[in-house]
Amino acid sequence: MQPMFEAVAARGKSRGRFSLFAKMNSLIAILFLPIILAYTYSNDVTFHVVSRELQTSSARQLAFLSSQIDSRVNQMMDFSLTFSKDPNARDFNGLNLWGGRYDRMQTRYAIQEKMRLQSGVTDIWPARYALHSQQNHQVIANYDRRGEYSEDYLKRNMSGKWIYGDEGSGQPPYFYWFYTDSLGEQGLLTGSSLVVEASFSSDNIRNMLDTYKAGGQGDPFYYRKGDLPILNRSADRTLSSELIAYLDVHPLERTAQRIVELRGQDYLVSSVGSAYLDGQLIDVVPLGQVLGPISSSRNLFYLSIVLLLLLGVSASVLLYRNVQRPIRKLMNGLLRVQSGDYTVRLHARNRNEFSFVFERFNDMSQRIQELIENVFNEKIRAREATLKQLQAQINPHFLYNCLGYIINMAQMKDEEAVVSMAFNLSAYYRYTTRMEKEIAPLEEEVRLLVNYLDIQKLRNGRIDYVIDLPEELRRQDIPRLMLQPIVENAVIHGVAKSYASGEIRITGQSEDGFCVIVIDDDGPGLSQEEYAALNRKMDEELQEEMGCGLWNTHQRIAHQFGSRSGLRFGPSPAGGFRTEIRWAIPERPELQAAGPLMPIVPIPGNRNV
């Protein structure tokens, strides 16, 4: 039984420790999980949308910047084309042939005025123009040129494309474009060609890059592999150098976007090619700077979730310590009370509602313990009183028989028998009146039987007896006067009613944890129904028509040794009545409740009790 209660207590303890605490933490996790998932999804969508819009915006702005530069370059090219057909320009190419000095001065003045007007259209894009006459070997420009007309200079640069180079004067590099239309074939020098030279400084592009950077998040520059890049004036030169080195190895398409990792950060690199300058406008945008607020908001949200989770777990732990732990302690106390341990007491560390419950539990447990102890003591006192009452009923019963015998012997003037009876009766009562103990060794009971049987033998010379009990059995402790009523029953109702010689045989042995004493006589027996009725009456209440000797003895044995101990009756092999006394050996008390006694199988006969 105890292991079962321990298992129940262990299960209760496990449930008390983890059930509510685990459920609360699971509930907190379930509450937070949808919020985290929804926010994570929303943040990812926002991140991708912003990133996509950033790429689109960067590409559009860079394309617009490129279109502005190409527009201005195209204006210069259109002017060069138109200017090459200007009458003054054509006159300049033939002045040495037919014009006078004054005409040459007027022509030169008109050409320079037109070039100055075209160059001063806008301050953000100043342009330079020069007109080369191959026929006259002269050059007119709207700026201070270094050197005079050079045929090699023209031949070297007549490529039809914009050329980017440094003049070597300490000034910023310039872009140059040369145009001639000789005999309908552009770019061909015939010896009398008129060449229009258009150029602009790299500062023009730098100014536009500065304006572009002021309105955005990027760091733009002009890049053409092999040439010096054109950076904006506030550019991060280290970052630009790293990106240029990357582009030299991993070139971008004319119009493309790519995320590049530089200095441990991700950058959005956008590229748009120029339609005329044979280079690319590059814009580099730090994604961390643009998307940083989103990442900061995400991190702040996750930090808030962690703090709320810690707060929820702390509240759960606080609830566990102040509610679940006292409940578990109360459950363990109840389980211990259920298992029979009424000494358990509960103590609360804090003065709260559970301290009141624990105090009431302790009062209840103490009260139950006191009641059980009182009931147990009452049962013990009742059992002792019952044993004394049963023994007190037996003693007068035997005394009445003995006094009756003495009276009969005195009436018969048999003094020897009276003396013998008185002596044995004195010895008997000297034994029975020693009330300091209600238990005696079987050996003392045997000596009492010898005294009793000797008395009966004096009364009836036909009576004979045999006592055969082993030594280990004689050392067993039994209730006083347990055997005497049975032997008395065998004498009075057995051999005394027989006209022939009668014998009483007392034998015993130990078997299967029980002590067994068998008392046989050769008197008249009982019928099968009578044996069954007699055995049944032993376990019933005492009735007036029943003799009290056998019933009292059976009840005393059952009280002392358990329900499997007591008297059973049946036919004797000697042809008379057999009484079997069986009681459990005290070293094995579990055999007392193993089951009912096996009845003795009766045989037909006739006997009165």
Side-chain angles (χ1 to χ4, degrees), residues 176-335:
Y176 300 90
W177 186 68
F178 295 83
Y179 175 79
T180 183
D181 186 5
S182 300
L183 300 178
E185 185 176 354
Q186 194 271 333
L188 178 65
L189 294 176
T190 61
S192 61
S193 299
L194 180 65
V195 180
V196 179
E197 175 189 352
S199 64
F200 62 90
S201 173
S202 60
D203 284 342
N204 294 5
I205 296 179
R206 183 173 287 108
N207 292 336
M208 299 189 73
L209 292 176
D210 291 341
T211 303
Y212 175 86
K213 183 176 182 180
Q217 300 288 338
D219 197 3
F221 61 91
Y222 174 83
Y223 166 77
R224 187 169 70 174
K225 187 176 181 179
D227 293 336
L228 290 175
I230 301 175
L231 305 178
N232 62 82
R233 291 178 175 83
S234 60
D236 186 343
R237 297 188 178 276
T238 303
L239 176 64
S240 300
S241 299
E242 293 182 6
L243 181 57
I244 291 170
Y246 173 84
L247 294 177
D248 289 340
V249 180
H250 306 89
L252 290 175
E253 298 178 358
R254 289 183 60 84
T255 301
Q257 285 185 320
R258 184 184 301 173
I259 296 178
V260 179
E261 182 178 354
L262 300 173
R263 299 189 295 189
Q265 296 184 9
D266 291 336
Y267 292 86
L268 175 62
V269 179
S270 303
S271 170
V272 175
S274 174
Y276 303 107
L277 300 182
D278 194 24
Q280 294 171 287
L281 288 176
I282 304 296
D283 185 22
V284 52
V285 178
L287 292 179
Q289 179 180 350
V290 178
L291 302 177
I294 299 178
S295 300
S296 300
S297 176
R298 178 196 58 196
N299 296 335
L300 181 61
F301 173 79
Y302 287 149
L303 178 61
S304 301
I305 288 295
V306 171
L307 293 178
L308 289 176
L309 184 61
L310 292 177
L311 183 61
V313 173
S314 300
S316 176
V317 171
L318 184 63
L319 184 62
Y320 169 75
R321 294 186 59 183
N322 291 275
V323 176
Q324 185 64 16
R325 184 178 291 177
I327 291 177
R328 178 165 56 88
K329 185 183 294 185
L330 183 60
M331 289 175 58
N332 293 335
L334 292 175
L335 289 172

Side-chain angles (χ1 to χ4, degrees), residues 91 127 170 227 299-300 305 342 394 407 433 442 453 585:
D91 290 342
D227 293 336
N299 296 335
L300 181 61
I305 288 295
Y342 301 102
I394 292 174
I407 292 172
T433 54
L442 180 60
L453 290 173
I585 299 177

Side-chain angles (χ1 to χ4, degrees), residues 155-173:
K155 292 180 179 180
R156 187 171 62 249
N157 294 303
M158 288 300 299
S159 62
K161 297 180 180 181
W162 284 90
I163 301 171
Y164 179 58
D166 189 0
E167 293 181 341
S169 60
Q171 298 296 325

